[in-house]
Amino acid sequence: MRSHFQMVRLFLLFIIPVIIAGCAGSAEKPEQHVFYPPLPSPPRIQYLTSYSGPGDLERSSTLSDFILGDEAEDTALISKPYGVAMYGGRLYVVDIRAPGYAMFDLKKKRFDIVYGSFSGKMKKPINMSIDTDGTKYISDTGRSLILVYSKDDKFIKLLGDGESFKPSDSVIAGNKLFVTDIKNHRLVVLDKDSGEQLYTIGSVGSKEGELFYPTNLALGPEGHIYVSETGNFRVQKFTQDGKFVKSFGKVGTGLGQFARPKGVAVDHDGNIHVVDAAFENVQVLNRDGKLLMFYGEPGGDRANINLPTGIFIDYDNLEYFKKFAQPDFELEYVILVANQFGKSKVNVFGFGRMKGMDYADAPAAE
């Protein structure tokens, strides 16, 4: 009778290759080939992978998927994420139920959760913005403060007095920190070093330049500030000194309209990616507000997005995601989308183009 070791060896040598070959020739893993728009149209976005817990750091092949199965779901430690960001090969996810933020070190294949303690304890963190030196600014609506953490996740200081504003997001521009104040329906501009309040932008209302439940922020390539307003169903664009520039979208169920806009991100070409938690997709508008395309859809697969919230565009860490892209799909940047429901807590999409295809009239090619 063969020993247990011999049986395992036979399994690895003969059975697994058959399974892998079968998977490669079947549609059992359709999420690996999800494109927007779908082929045969020239695709601009491909679903790459997702992260929900430490098990996902090893999900890099069909073999590991077969061996691990749904282990990532069983070991998931992220409960209800909102914000997401990347810096230096690390993916950060802010979990409002932890409370704290999770860290996926893609280089070292390591997972950790930072909760904070004493003055740096997090109560209900929502979002995170990361400066060029790795300093993190965490918006905590439970404490009505901005918590500042170092590159190596050590607490540094607090910004705010715990009463003047209720932050849900922030964005860094030079020495200024722009903060959404969902309590007073405005933006508060702070000196990022001293925490001194420099000025405010907007007031409650629905007219141009007015705000109603501003939730998320982004910095455009021209230096303008983009604000998503869940209460006004739109995105507004401001100069850094507070001058209104343009408004995008309105309430509705049609293309280019919004029901519950949340996360917003702007790429280097000025294209605006807007998450809608009600439609459960991301719409892409050009700098003039024209709808170029949309991507993502609800469902039960890992490639689906469910109750999406935060979004982050990254150009600096492509090396960690190229292995997930279809060989002929050339990545220009990756997009991280946080989900509060479903199999995947963070979905990673790649923006690019397929070799040999004509993109002259393709969406998002402007």
Side-chain angles (χ1 to χ4, degrees):
M1 182 177 293
R2 292 187 177 94
S3 68
H4 176 73
F5 174 78
Q6 289 174 319
M7 294 296 292
V8 171
R9 185 170 182 272
L10 285 172
F11 179 80
L12 292 174
L13 288 175
F14 298 107
I15 300 177
I16 284 184
V18 174
I19 293 173
I20 293 175
C23 289
S26 69
E28 291 180 2
K29 294 287 182 182
E31 67 273 10
Q32 295 178 356
H33 307 287
V34 174
F35 290 97
Y36 300 91
L39 295 169
S41 298
R44 293 313 311 249
I45 290 176
Q46 180 190 354
Y47 165 76
L48 300 177
T49 187
S50 58
Y51 295 91
S52 299
D56 289 317
L57 288 169
E58 300 300 329
R59 282 177 175 269
S60 59
S61 68
T62 304
L63 176 58
S64 64
D65 278 346
F66 172 76
I67 293 175
L68 292 174
D70 290 329
E71 179 185 352
E73 294 176 50
D74 298 334
T75 60
L77 296 176
I78 302 173
S79 177
K80 194 173 183 181
Y82 193 106
V84 61
M86 276 210 75
Y87 181 89
R90 293 182 173 185
L91 189 158
Y92 296 92
V93 188
V94 182
D95 190 345
I96 64 176
R97 283 188 179 171
Y101 62 86
M103 184 276 292
F104 293 84
D105 190 322
L106 304 184
K107 183 177 182 179
K108 297 180 179 179
K109 304 289 185 182
R110 187 169 64 88
F111 176 87
D112 199 5
I113 294 183
V114 178
Y115 294 101
S117 59
F118 301 106
S119 296
K121 185 176 182 179
M122 288 168 264
K123 187 174 182 181
K124 191 175 182 180
I126 296 291
N127 266 309
M128 173 191 294
S129 56
I130 306 179
D131 209 345
T132 54
D133 64 355
T135 302
K136 305 172 187 70
Y137 296 82
I138 301 159
S139 303
D140 193 315
T141 59
R143 296 188 63 183
S144 294
L145 292 167
I146 299 290
L147 285 70
V148 186
Y149 276 74
S150 68
K151 178 181 178 179
D152 58 356
D153 303 304
K154 305 297 183 183
F155 172 70
I156 299 175
K157 60 185 175 182
L158 301 171
L159 300 182
D161 58 14
E163 297 179 357
S164 300
F165 57 81
K166 193 178 187 71
S168 62
D169 199 7
S170 68
V171 70
I172 303 158
N175 69 329
K176 296 177 181 178
L177 185 71
F178 292 78
V179 181
T180 53
D181 179 3
I182 57 175
K183 175 183 177 182
N184 299 298
H185 309 284
R186 61 181 182 173
L187 303 186
V188 176
V189 186
L190 307 175
D191 182 293
K192 72 176 184 182
D193 297 319
S194 68
E196 175 190 358
Q197 182 172 312
L198 304 176
Y199 54 94
T200 63
I201 297 174
S203 58
V204 62
S206 58
K207 297 178 182 178
E208 292 182 346
E210 296 179 338
L211 300 168
F212 190 53
Y213 287 106
T215 50
N216 291 79
L217 294 171
L219 181 68
E222 71 286 80
H224 289 160
I225 306 298
Y226 292 75
V227 188
S228 67
E229 296 176 77
T230 304
N232 277 332
F233 314 101
R234 66 187 179 187
V235 172
Q236 288 199 78
K237 178 179 176 181
F238 294 89
T239 63
Q240 290 189 25
D241 60 4
K243 180 181 178 182
F244 168 81
V245 178
K246 191 173 180 61
S247 179
F248 305 89
K250 61 180 182 180
V251 63
T253 58
L255 297 176
Q257 299 176 336
F258 302 116
R260 202 189 307 168
K262 288 198 172 181
V264 58
V266 186
D267 69 18
H268 287 178
D269 294 321
N271 295 322
I272 310 158
H273 297 240
V274 186
V275 169
D276 197 302
F279 296 154
E280 296 184 300
N281 67 8
V282 182
Q283 298 190 60
V284 185
L285 313 175
N286 69 9
R287 61 179 69 239
D288 297 319
K290 175 186 175 183
L291 178 69
L292 300 177
M293 63 176 295
F294 62 88
Y295 58 95
E297 55 191 309
D301 294 328
R302 287 170 59 84
N304 293 129
I305 60 176
N306 297 273
L307 293 182
T309 50
I311 185 171
F312 184 84
I313 288 177
D314 182 81
Y315 287 84
D316 301 326
N317 297 277
L318 294 185
E319 61 184 294
Y320 301 104
F321 302 104
K322 286 181 179 179
K323 62 185 177 183
F324 299 109
Q326 203 271 353
D328 291 329
F329 191 70
E330 299 178 315
L331 294 180
E332 297 175 28
Y333 59 79
V334 295
I335 309 155
L336 313 176
V337 180
N339 305 284
Q340 295 191 329
F341 186 72
K343 282 188 175 182
S344 303
K345 298 306 182 184
V346 176
N347 281 32
V348 183
F349 297 91
F351 184 95
R353 59 181 63 215
M354 195 76 76
K355 293 179 182 177
M357 300 192 77
D358 183 9
Y359 281 82
D361 300 315
E366 300 184 1

